[in-house]
């Protein structure tokens, strides 16, 4: 029987994978404008037919993969509110926050696009947009690091603690310091709306980065 | 043949009554018949047919007259007119389609039945001679237990067996050919039995489909042969038939008939041998047997081939004991006790699940998974098994699949993984293991029925429909060599391997074995993934490192231990990932182990058939084959892109990786349950909606049980229904199966997670009703619960905003309606008011219970009451709250709220999709009386229907179109009653509390109202031609405002402004003019925000316009196109056009317009469409700052400020505007 529940959509397969693949790409992409990694550290695989630069640092990749792997079950349950990649400066104060805000569309269905090709297009647009976001952002101060925050809905965190998807990859409550940004400026990057997911990406940038 | 009824009545009465003449005639005919019969009687007479009353329909051979004579002679009745109550059999050789359709339960029998019964000297079972039958009733039910019915006459099972055996011997000597025929019969035997039972019960069998399909082939011949043999040498035939019976008996009831079984088996084997020659022999037979009768029957039989084949056997079997009831085969009937318990029976569900192998298997898997995770939790870190092994050596990291060899187990072990297969081996089964026996899952066989069901799976497998459709759940390796596979139908398998033995399920034993296996594994490690009851994946990396064993040594140890404990052979495959381990297991079977070393992987995988890959099923295999791909090696030549194109991105990638032996899935020891469902698509046949509903409720209870067992609650409910595909046969090939179906699903999200059968049942019924199905076409029903939440965590977490919002929203919509009404009312007399109110009340009641409650009492005061409502709605955060998708959703579930017809904006209505419009129009139809009054008002107000959408300041209907929210198809009405529209008298009449609320709301609203008025005026005025029409409206508005002013001071202030605006020939946006809807919407929005601000209640997110509020009389205000949420411009390009026209054509923007823009922006924020917001802001910035007028600059600042405030509230940061 075909159903249109999130599970039966096989969210664990294409969409979520694509979703997580997108942020994975997104996250690594972010490092390019953020100048977090030496430029030699990126490969160019293609995702959604877009050539993207990907980090080829194995441990970084592992970290990103693990992160997203943990987010995946939450995504499937629509427990994720936001996934935030925070760029911190030397003092561990956030400089930029790349916020992937994820919501579920009012009516979940794949009836209109069973191949999800439309979704792919949207994700593609997303990634393209990310790759050019440095144009609208100020330069980061040198020596930045990054961290990934997940804003969950309701009691999702608790469940997450119960079920560690990946061993030895626990989630911890974020420090207020990591979350709060002084005098943020919001820069919307991209919004996508499809039958199965609504996602928007915006950047919160500290007004005065160098200070 | 269908004049029922009258005869009964007629019996007592004379001719005068209706039908009296016929009754009398019939009676007379009967008397004649009786008297004739006495005359006719001579030496040849008998009473074979006593109790039988036939009615001959159409041409028969022997003719009707002859049949009549025969009936006279042999004690039967012959009816010239069909009587449903008295006639027991209809005799026909052929019936026109129309008559066939009319058949309900009647037995339609071929005339040979009579002839042959006479020849045989006893009443043969009529079943084999049936012309047609409706099968639904005849097929077997769920109760597979072979309990005998007490009332059934005839020899008990054991005696039957004996007889059979004796006869078998005879038969073998006598006629080989017949035996062969029987072979066929054997397979169908059980099915026939089932049929018999039903026949007895229902007295009718019609095989509609058979006839058509009965193209003669060798089997038909055989059948014919059988059919005739009885006449020539009935004894032989009986015997022959009995043999197969005995056999089938034996195999089925093995415990009781152990002896019989063996013998039967022998004989059956013999028969099998003959099968090959069947076709030849059968022809021979036919020749030999031929005589006039036979020829007749021959033609007939060829028509009904299958039926006949079966029938022949039956008749023989039944012959001995059969008279009326013809149930010589009581045992059989027991085996297939009566009609499948109906789904409507309350026990059906539990019965179904207790017998469903798939259910057991899946439940075990869950249990075992839990078992493993429980083990992990309790883990002390000590693994006894491991300790033992430590004495040994080194190893490499590997995944192991343990796979217990398949015993003759009932369950099918499908996956070859690194999981140990647990055969459901028990001692009894063990010995069978070494013989060629197939374990047959179900003890009962299903009668096959119809060739015409060809499209079904039967056809796919090329199975003759006569064969049993019971699936083989698992079979031994010996059986597999012959070509028997799991999932094959038993009948077919039996053909392949005559000596195949069926073994009934023994769920208990399997469970034990599974448990033991897992315990064994758990003694080594807890890193186990339960794949199924007989298969597990184990990550042995750690073990090997610790024990220093080689993988092979370890595998050996595990296998030995499992074999020791369970007596089941286990196979183990070892590979570096799950995929490889599984493939290796395949190679290891049976009872072996295989270690796929990394260096061998490439060669190994290349040689594997693609069909061996997990996830490659029949359809994908055929697709791959069509691409010329058979092995993984072939597959490796395909590029990822090509694969993804063919199979979709995910599957393509999977194939790409799998064919290279890549697999990165971890061994998951714990899996969260994502959904809980109960689904039954076997035996679902409803006749009454009530049955279906009751069944759904039962199923809900089952769900409740499962949810409780899992300790979960679920929020999202899905109802799946399988419905017979139009054109598919009504009856399925597999009895009780679902056949060819369309799947229909409905999903609903509950406010709260629940595990209550009541709630679930109710929601399910709702969904079910919306499907509007033909009950009799339902073939399967399933309920699934998703979004599971553990029961223990405080339930409060679950219910959250959605519910709150939804509750508010209805209120919002009400308010809109009210507004409309209010305005109109003002214009018109009080009476008119009342009318309007009434309409409004109805609407409200239907939509929102809360508001409704107080509405009725205040009907006259609706205006005032409306306001509180609106204010509430606003407070919830949105102007009207309609924008949020959630609200829409909730609305959808409710009946559509339709404003009274008068309030409908025609242009808006026209813009709706046809279906929506129809709905609305229909809804309005009921209110038409009121409409008239309203209409009068409308023109006055603002030409609602006119080209210019003049929002005469108040009412706006939002009918969402292109926007997402709109797609929901609900009608959103957004409107806040303008201050001016409030009738002071009404207000005064309100309770104090309400008045308070209203006042607060009004304070805010006044501003808005003014703004709105401005806008309207502006818009109206711009298009000069159009404006003319608008002006009157504007004037009216003013008046209204004035009226209202007394009530609320703030409004007064605004109203002047409005007036100014109205009078001033300010241009409205050209775009706005073009699309009336937009303007209206915009207007509404303005009102909404304004009113909201003053209210402290406003949630931050809702009206970002706090700063804006009307109190800030910004001269520079620009007016923007309606928000995306509004019916107006949605696409960015439209918005841009609108903005551009506005900014470039107007030198002095109006506050209303500006507010409209702000509203739009805040709506965008709500919608989380920051990207568009950004673009809009930037675009405005460009345009406005370029503008010569400083007013525009100020307008932009104003808009930006407001947007920033909302953003700050929503996101905690402000937009970066460069």
């Amino acid at each position: 029987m075909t159903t249109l529940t999130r599970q039966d959509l096989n969210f664990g397969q294409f969409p979520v994978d694509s979703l997580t693949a997108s942020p994975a790409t997104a996250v690594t992409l972010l490092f390019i404008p953020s100048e977090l990694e030496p430029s030699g550290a990126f490969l160019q695989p293609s995702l959604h037919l877009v050539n993207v630069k990907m980090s080829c640092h194995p441990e970084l990749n592992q970290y990103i993969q693990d992160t997203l792997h943990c987010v995946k079950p939450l995504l499937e349950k629509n427990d994720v509110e936001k996934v935030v990649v925070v760029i911190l400066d030397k003092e561990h104060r956030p400089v930029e926050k790349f916020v992937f805000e994820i919501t579920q569309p009012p009516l979940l269905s794949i009836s209109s696009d069973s191949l999800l090709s439309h979704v792919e297009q949207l994700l593609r647009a997303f990634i393209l947009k990310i790759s050019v976001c440095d144009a609208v952002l100020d330069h980061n101060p040198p020596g930045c690091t990054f961290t990934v925050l997940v804003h969950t809905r309701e009691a999702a965190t608790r469940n997450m603690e119960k079920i560690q998807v990946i061993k030895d990859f626990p989630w911890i409550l974020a420090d207020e310091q990591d979350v709060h940004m002084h005098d943020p400026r919001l820069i919307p990057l991209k919004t996508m709306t499809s039958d199965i997911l609504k996602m928007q990406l915006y950047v919160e940038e500290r007004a005065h980065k160098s200070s | 043949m269908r004049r029922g009824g009258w005869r009964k009545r007629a019996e007592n009465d004379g001719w005068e009554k209706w039908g009296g003449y016929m009754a009398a005639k019939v009676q007379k005919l009967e008397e004649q018949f009786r008297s004739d019969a006495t005359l006719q009687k001579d030496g040849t007479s008998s009473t074979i047919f006593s109790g039988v009353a036939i009615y001959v329909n159409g041409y028969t051979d022997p003719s009707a007259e002859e049949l009549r004579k025969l009936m006279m002679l042999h004690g039967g009745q012959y009816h010239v007119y069909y009587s449903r109550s008295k006639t027991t059999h209809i005799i026909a050789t052929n019936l026109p389609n129309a008559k066939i359709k009319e058949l309900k339960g009647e037995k339609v029998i071929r005339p040979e039945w009579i002839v042959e019964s006479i020849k045989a000297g006893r009443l043969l079972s009529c079943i084999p001679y049936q012309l047609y039958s409706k099968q639904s009733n005849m097929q077997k039910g769920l109760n597979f237990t072979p309990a005998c019915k007490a009332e059934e006459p005839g020899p008990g099972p054991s005696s039957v067996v004996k007889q059979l055996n004796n006869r078998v011997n005879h038969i073998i000597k006598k006629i080989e050919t017949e035996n062969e025929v029987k072979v066929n019969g054997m397979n169908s035997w059980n099915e026939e039995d089932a049929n018999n039972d039903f026949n007895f019960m229902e007295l009718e069998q019609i095989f509609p489909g058979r006839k058509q399909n009965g193209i003669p082939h060798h089997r038909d011949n055989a059948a014919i042969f059988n059919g005739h043999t009885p006449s020539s040498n009935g004894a032989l035939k009986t015997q022959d038939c009995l043999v197969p019976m005995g056999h089938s008996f034996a195999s089925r009831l093995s415990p009781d008939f152990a002896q019989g079984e063996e013998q039967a088996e022998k004989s059956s084997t013999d028969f099998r041998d003959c099968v090959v020659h069947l076709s030849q022999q059968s022809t021979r037979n036919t020749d030999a047997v031929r005589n006039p009768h036979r020829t007749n029957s021959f033609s007939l039989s060829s028509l009904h081939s299958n039926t006949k084949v079966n029938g022949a056997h039956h008749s023989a079997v039944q012959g001995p004991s059969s008279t009326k009831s013809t149930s010589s085969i009581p045992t059989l009937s027991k085996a297939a006790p009566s009609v499948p318990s109906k789904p409507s029976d309350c026990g059906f569900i539990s019965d179904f699940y207790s017998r469903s192998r798939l259910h057991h298997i899946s439940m075990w898997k869950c249990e075992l998974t839990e078992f493993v995770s429980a083990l992990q939790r309790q883990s002390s870190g000590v693994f006894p098994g491991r300790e033992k092994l430590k004495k040994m050596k080194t190893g490499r990291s590997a995944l192991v699949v343990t796979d217990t060899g398949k015993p003759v187990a009932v369950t099918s072990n499908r996956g070859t993984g690194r999981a140990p297969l647990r055969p459901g081996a028990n001692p009894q089964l063990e010995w069978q293991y070494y013989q060629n026996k197939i374990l047959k899952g179900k003890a009962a066989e299903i009668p096959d029925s119809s060739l015409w069901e060809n499209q079904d799976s039967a056809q796919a497998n090329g199975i003759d429909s006569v064969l049993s459709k019971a699936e083989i759940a698992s079979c031994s390796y010996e059986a597999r060599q012959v070509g028997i596979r799991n999932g094959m139908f038993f009948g077919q398998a039996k053909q392949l391997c005559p000596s195949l033995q069926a073994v009934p399920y023994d769920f208990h034993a399997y469970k034990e074995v599974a448990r033991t296996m897992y315990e064994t594994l758990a003694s080594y490690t807890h890193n186990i993934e339960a794949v199924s009851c007989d298969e597990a994946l184990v990550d042995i990396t750690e073990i090997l490192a610790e024990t220093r064993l080689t993988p092979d040594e370890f595998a050996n140890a595990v296998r030995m231990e499992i074999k020791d404990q369970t007596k089941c052979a286990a196979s183990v495959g070892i590979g570096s990932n799950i995929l490889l381990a599984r493939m290796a297991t395949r190679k290891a079977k049976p009872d072996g182990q295989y270690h796929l070393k990394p260096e061998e992987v490439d060669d190994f995988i290349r040689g594997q058939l693609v069909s061996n890959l997990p996830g490659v099923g029949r359809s994908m295999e055929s697709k791959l084959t069509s691409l010329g791909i058979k092995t993984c090696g072939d597959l490796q030549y395909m590029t990822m892109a090509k694969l993804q194109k063919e199979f979709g991105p995910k599957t393509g990638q999977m194939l790409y990786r799998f064919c290279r032996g890549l697999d990165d899935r971890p061994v998951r020891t714990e899996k969260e349950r994502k959904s809980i469902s109960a689904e039954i698509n076997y035996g679902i046949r409803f006749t009454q909606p009530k049955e279906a509903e009751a069944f759904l409720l039962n199923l809900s209870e089952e769900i409740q049980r499962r949810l409780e067992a899992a300790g979960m609650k679920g929020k999202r409910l899905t109802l799946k229904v399988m419905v017979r595909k139009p054109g598919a046969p009504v009856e399925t090939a597999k009895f009780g199966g679902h056949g060819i179906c369309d799947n229909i699903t409905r999903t609903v999200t509950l406010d709260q997670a629940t595990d209550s059968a009541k709630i679930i049942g109710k929601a399910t019924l709702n969904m079910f009703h919306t499907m509007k199905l033909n009950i009799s076409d339902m073939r399967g029903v399933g309920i699934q619960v998703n979004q599971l939440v553990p029961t223990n965590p405080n339930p409060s977490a679950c219910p959250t905003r959605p519910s709150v919002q939804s509750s508010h929203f209805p209120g919002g919509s009400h308010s809109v309606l009210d507004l409309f009404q209010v305005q109109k009312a003002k214009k018109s007399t009080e009476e008119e008011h009342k009318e309007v109110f009434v309409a409004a009340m109805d609407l409200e009641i239907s939509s929102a219970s809360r508001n409704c409650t107080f509405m009725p009492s205040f009907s006259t005061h609706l205006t005032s009451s409306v306001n509180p409502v609106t204010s509430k709605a606003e407070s919830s955060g949105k102007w009207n709250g309609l924008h949020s998708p959630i609200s829409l959703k909730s609305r959808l579930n409710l009946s559509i709220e339709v404003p009274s017809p008068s309030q409908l904006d025609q242009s808006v209505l026209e813009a709706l999709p046809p279906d929506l419009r129809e709905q609305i129009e229909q809804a309005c139809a009921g209110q038409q009386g009121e409409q008239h009054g309203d209409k009068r008002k409308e023109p006055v107000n603002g030409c609602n229907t006119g080209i210019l959408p003049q929002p005469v300041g108040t009412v706006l209907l939002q009918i969402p179109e292109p926007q997402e929210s709109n797609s929901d198809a609900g009608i959103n009405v957004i409107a806040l009653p303008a201050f001016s529209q409030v009738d002071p008298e009404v207000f005064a009449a309100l309770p104090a509390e309400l008045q308070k609320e209203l006042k607060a709301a009004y304070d805010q609203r006044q501003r808005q109202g003014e703004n709105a008025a401005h806008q309207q005026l502006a818009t109206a005025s711009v298009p000069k031609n159009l404006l003319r029409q608008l002006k009157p409206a504007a004037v009216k508005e003013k008046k209204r405002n004035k009226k209202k002013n007394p009530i609320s001071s703030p409004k007064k202030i605004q109203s002047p402004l409005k007036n100014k605006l109205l009078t001033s020939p300010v241009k409205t946006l050209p775009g706005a003019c073009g699309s009336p809807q937009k303007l209206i919407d915009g207007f509404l929005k303005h009102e909404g925000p304004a009113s909201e601000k003053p209210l402290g209640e406003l949630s931050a997110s809702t009206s970002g316009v706090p700063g804006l509020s009307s109190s800030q009389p910004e001269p520079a205000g620009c007016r923007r196109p309606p928000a995306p949420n509004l019916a107006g411009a949605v696409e960015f390009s439209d918005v841009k056009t609108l903005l551009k026209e506005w900014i470039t054509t107007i030198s002095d923007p109006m506050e209303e317009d500006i507010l409209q823009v702000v509203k739009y922006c805040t709506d965008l924020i709500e919608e989380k469409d920051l990207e568009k917001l950004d673009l809009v802001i930037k675009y405005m910035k460009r345009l406005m700052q370029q503008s010569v007028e400083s007013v525009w600059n100020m307008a932009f600042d104003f808009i930006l400020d407001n947007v920033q405030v909302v953003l700050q509230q929503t996101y905690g940061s402000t937009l970066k505007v460069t």
Side-chain angles (χ1 to χ4, degrees), chain A residues 1-2 17 106 185-186 205, chain B residues 650 722 745 889 1214 1216:
Chain A
M1 291 188 164
T2 55
D17 273 4
R185 288 273 175 263
L186 190 141
E205 191 182 30
Chain B
K650 179 66 186 179
M722 298 179 87
T745 60
K889 245 189 177 176
T1214 53
K1216 175 180 175 184

Side-chain angles (χ1 to χ4, degrees), chain B residues 161-178:
Chain B
V161 174
K162 274 185 192 170
Q163 283 180 348
L164 291 180
N165 292 331
N166 295 334
R167 280 171 198 175
V168 170
N169 299 331
H170 289 294
I171 298 162
I172 296 172
K173 291 174 191 168
K174 286 182 182 175
I175 308 175
E176 290 180 2
T177 50
E178 286 180 350

Side-chain angles (χ1 to χ4, degrees), chain B residues 159-203:
Chain B
S159 63
V160 172
V161 174
K162 274 185 192 170
Q163 283 180 348
L164 291 180
N165 292 331
N166 295 334
R167 280 171 198 175
V168 170
N169 299 331
H170 289 294
I171 298 162
I172 296 172
K173 291 174 191 168
K174 286 182 182 175
I175 308 175
E176 290 180 2
T177 50
E178 286 180 350
N179 292 338
E180 298 172 0
V181 176
K182 267 75 195 209
V183 173
N184 293 331
M186 286 178 55
N187 294 334
S188 59
W189 175 212
N190 291 322
E191 302 164 1
E192 292 302 320
D193 296 338
N195 290 342
N196 286 336
D197 298 341
F198 293 110
N199 291 334
F200 302 144
M201 297 172 58
E202 306 219 4
L203 297 183

Side-chain angles (χ1 to χ4, degrees), chain A residues 1-8 12-14 17-18 69 72-73 76-78 81-82 101 103-108 115 120 129 136-138 153-155 158-159 162-163 165 167 181 183-193 198-202 204-205, chain B residues 376 527 649-651 653 666 668 670 672 674-675 679 681 715-716 718 720-722 743-745 747 780-782 784 786-788 790 792-794 797-798 800-801 885-886 889 892 964 967-968 1167-1172 1174 1178 1207 1211-1217:
Chain A
M1 291 188 164
T2 55
T3 35
L4 295 185
T5 64
R6 196 160 273 251
Q7 278 72 28
D8 289 339
Q13 306 211 347
F14 172 64
D17 273 4
S18 290
H69 196 69
K72 200 166 128 184
E76 285 166 357
K77 283 187 290 178
N78 193 27
E81 192 177 356
K82 295 190 250 185
E101 200 173 39
T103 46
Q104 206 170 1
L107 284 179
L108 190 63
L115 293 179
E120 181 168 16
K129 189 81 185 200
V136 295
L137 299 174
D138 293 338
R153 288 183 231 277
E154 298 162 14
R158 189 197 292 197
N159 294 337
K162 262 199 239 161
I163 304 156
V165 181
K167 277 194 178 170
M181 182 187 285
D183 194 11
R185 288 273 175 263
L186 190 141
I187 301 148
L189 282 183
K190 189 70 193 163
T191 300
M192 66 170 273
T193 304
K198 226 180 133 176
M199 177 162 78
Q200 74 168 336
L201 169 66
Y202 59 86
E204 283 182 78
E205 191 182 30
Chain B
Q376 281 177 331
N527 211 340
K650 179 66 186 179
T651 315
Q653 193 192 26
R668 302 175 104 195
E670 198 169 354
E672 202 182 344
K674 289 178 182 158
S675 66
E679 183 175 335
N681 46 35
K715 204 164 174 186
R716 187 188 287 275
T718 303
K720 313 176 184 182
V721 177
M722 298 179 87
N743 295 323
I744 302 178
T745 60
T747 300
V781 181
Q784 187 180 43
N786 293 324
Q787 293 191 356
L788 298 181
N792 32 340
N794 51 343
C798 313
T800 46
R801 312 168 197 159
I886 298 173
K889 245 189 177 176
L892 280 180
E964 306 164 357
S967 65
D968 292 346
E1167 279 294 303
K1168 298 196 187 298
D1169 197 351
L1170 291 181
E1171 187 191 8
K1172 200 188 257 181
D1174 193 41
K1178 281 180 180 158
L1207 264 179
Y1211 287 97
S1213 56
T1214 53
L1215 204 61
K1216 175 180 175 184
V1217 181

Side-chain angles (χ1 to χ4, degrees), chain B residues 80-387:
Chain B
V80 180
Y81 296 98
Y82 176 75
S83 153
R84 193 179 297 169
S85 53
K86 291 183 182 170
T87 307
T88 58
H89 297 75
I90 295 171
I91 306 295
T93 53
N94 191 9
L95 286 180
N97 198 32
K99 286 186 178 174
I100 293 173
K101 279 184 189 159
E102 280 187 334
L103 291 179
K104 282 190 180 145
E106 301 87 347
K107 282 185 189 173
V108 181
I109 312 293
R110 283 176 286 110
E112 296 93 90
W113 173 59
I114 294 174
V115 177
E116 285 168 17
S117 291
I118 294 171
K119 279 193 183 147
R122 59 195 163 76
L123 188 65
L124 300 175
S125 161
C126 62
I127 293 156
Y129 299 94
Q130 277 191 331
L131 194 53
Y132 310 106
S133 156
K134 298 214 168 169
Q135 297 165 347
S136 57
N137 299 322
M138 331 179 333
Q139 294 181 317
K140 245 189 299 178
L142 281 172
N143 298 322
F144 303 116
T145 49
C148 293
K149 288 180 188 168
E151 71 272 19
E152 296 210 25
S158 56
S159 63
V160 172
V161 174
K162 274 185 192 170
Q163 283 180 348
L164 291 180
N165 292 331
N166 295 334
R167 280 171 198 175
V168 170
N169 299 331
H170 289 294
I171 298 162
I172 296 172
K173 291 174 191 168
K174 286 182 182 175
I175 308 175
E176 290 180 2
T177 50
E178 286 180 350
N179 292 338
E180 298 172 0
V181 176
K182 267 75 195 209
V183 173
N184 293 331
M186 286 178 55
N187 294 334
S188 59
W189 175 212
N190 291 322
E191 302 164 1
E192 292 302 320
D193 296 338
N195 290 342
N196 286 336
D197 298 341
F198 293 110
N199 291 334
F200 302 144
M201 297 172 58
E202 306 219 4
L203 297 183
E204 71 114 353
Q205 264 192 342
I206 305 161
F207 293 89
R210 298 234 172 135
K211 188 179 179 178
Q212 296 138 6
N213 296 324
I215 303 163
H217 56 165
H218 72 269
R219 205 163 271 153
D220 294 342
N221 293 334
I224 295 165
F225 173 76
N226 288 336
H228 297 290
T229 29
S231 54
S232 53
N233 47 3
L236 281 183
K237 193 186 183 178
T238 323
Q239 292 166 357
D240 293 342
C241 299
L242 289 175
V243 177
M245 260 185 75
H247 174 71
S248 58
F249 262 90
S251 58
R252 209 136 298 149
L253 312 173
S254 48
D256 298 340
F257 307 104
Q259 285 185 348
E261 182 181 359
E262 285 182 11
Q263 291 181 2
E265 202 179 334
K266 267 189 201 167
S267 58
S268 67
T269 327
D270 295 338
F271 297 144
R272 286 299 150 88
D273 297 334
C274 305
V275 176
V276 185
H277 314 287
L278 179 64
S279 57
Q280 291 180 352
Q281 294 172 345
S282 62
T283 35
R284 238 186 281 148
N285 295 333
T286 33
D287 292 337
V289 186
R290 214 172 260 166
N291 64 19
H293 285 297
R294 283 164 199 164
T295 28
N296 260 341
S297 57
F298 178 83
S299 60
L300 293 174
S301 62
S302 63
L303 286 178
H304 319 290
S305 59
N306 294 322
T307 316
K308 204 175 183 184
V309 175
N310 297 330
H313 299 301
H314 275 290
S315 63
V317 176
Q318 295 170 349
S321 61
S322 69
T323 44
K324 289 180 192 175
S325 66
T326 64
S327 64
S328 61
I329 317 164
T331 36
L332 297 175
S333 58
K334 298 143 194 174
S338 74
V339 186
S341 60
K342 283 184 193 166
S344 49
D345 296 346
C346 47
F348 177 80
I349 292 179
S350 54
D351 199 43
F352 176 83
Y353 282 116
S354 69
R355 288 169 204 287
S356 162
R357 128 181 85 100
L358 296 177
H359 169 70
H360 278 285
I361 292 173
S362 65
M363 290 312 283
W364 288 338
K365 187 196 164 179
C366 288
E367 283 174 26
L368 291 168
T369 309
E370 271 165 34
F371 173 68
V372 170
S373 58
L375 283 178
Q376 281 177 331
R377 278 193 294 271
Q378 299 158 6
S379 162
S380 58
V382 179
F383 301 102
R386 211 185 276 190
E387 300 302 321

Side-chain angles (χ1 to χ4, degrees), chain B residues 966-1161:
Chain B
N966 297 338
S967 65
D968 292 346
I971 299 180
N972 301 328
V973 181
I974 299 183
L976 299 178
F979 239 43
S980 57
Q981 296 160 5
V982 176
D983 185 334
E985 294 175 16
V986 174
F987 186 78
L990 287 175
E993 275 186 25
L994 270 184
Q995 281 186 355
K996 227 182 187 177
E997 262 187 285
L998 284 178
K999 268 188 189 173
Y1002 270 85
D1003 286 340
Q1004 299 174 352
R1005 281 188 190 175
Q1006 288 172 356
R1007 301 168 187 174
Q1008 292 179 353
E1010 289 177 7
N1011 296 333
H1014 290 295
Q1015 283 183 357
Q1016 289 176 356
L1017 292 176
T1019 55
S1021 59
V1022 175
K1024 294 174 182 175
N1025 300 332
L1026 302 175
L1027 288 179
R1028 291 175 196 168
Q1029 299 175 353
L1030 294 176
K1031 285 183 180 178
V1035 175
K1036 290 179 180 179
E1037 285 186 345
K1038 292 179 185 176
K1039 289 178 183 174
R1040 293 176 190 171
N1041 291 337
K1042 288 176 182 175
K1043 287 181 183 176
K1044 291 176 181 177
N1045 291 340
I1047 301 173
S1048 61
S1049 58
K1051 269 200 173 180
K1052 289 180 182 177
I1053 300 170
Q1054 292 176 355
S1055 61
L1057 289 177
K1058 282 185 181 179
N1059 292 336
K1060 284 181 186 175
L1061 291 171
L1062 290 173
T1063 51
S1064 74
V1066 181
K1067 281 186 184 179
T1068 46
L1069 296 178
C1073 299
S1075 65
Q1077 299 175 6
K1078 293 178 183 178
L1079 289 179
I1080 296 178
D1081 292 331
F1083 179 76
L1084 290 176
K1085 286 183 176 179
H1086 284 284
E1087 287 184 4
S1091 60
E1092 287 180 288
K1093 290 179 182 179
L1095 294 179
E1097 301 172 4
L1098 288 181
S1099 69
S1101 62
T1102 57
S1103 62
V1105 198
L1108 279 180
S1109 60
S1110 54
S1111 60
Q1112 296 184 355
E1114 287 217 3
C1118 304
R1119 185 228 116 130
R1120 270 227 182 167
N1125 299 326
L1126 299 180
V1130 175
E1131 292 303 316
F1132 181 59
S1133 58
D1134 294 345
V1135 176
K1136 268 169 76 177
T1137 320
L1138 210 52
L1139 281 174
K1140 187 167 187 181
E1141 282 180 4
W1142 176 45
I1143 297 169
T1144 54
T1145 56
I1146 297 179
S1147 57
D1148 188 13
M1150 285 182 306
E1151 188 189 338
E1152 282 183 11
D1153 293 339
I1154 295 172
L1155 288 178
Q1156 178 93 12
V1157 174
V1158 170
K1159 166 78 173 118
Y1160 173 67
C1161 292

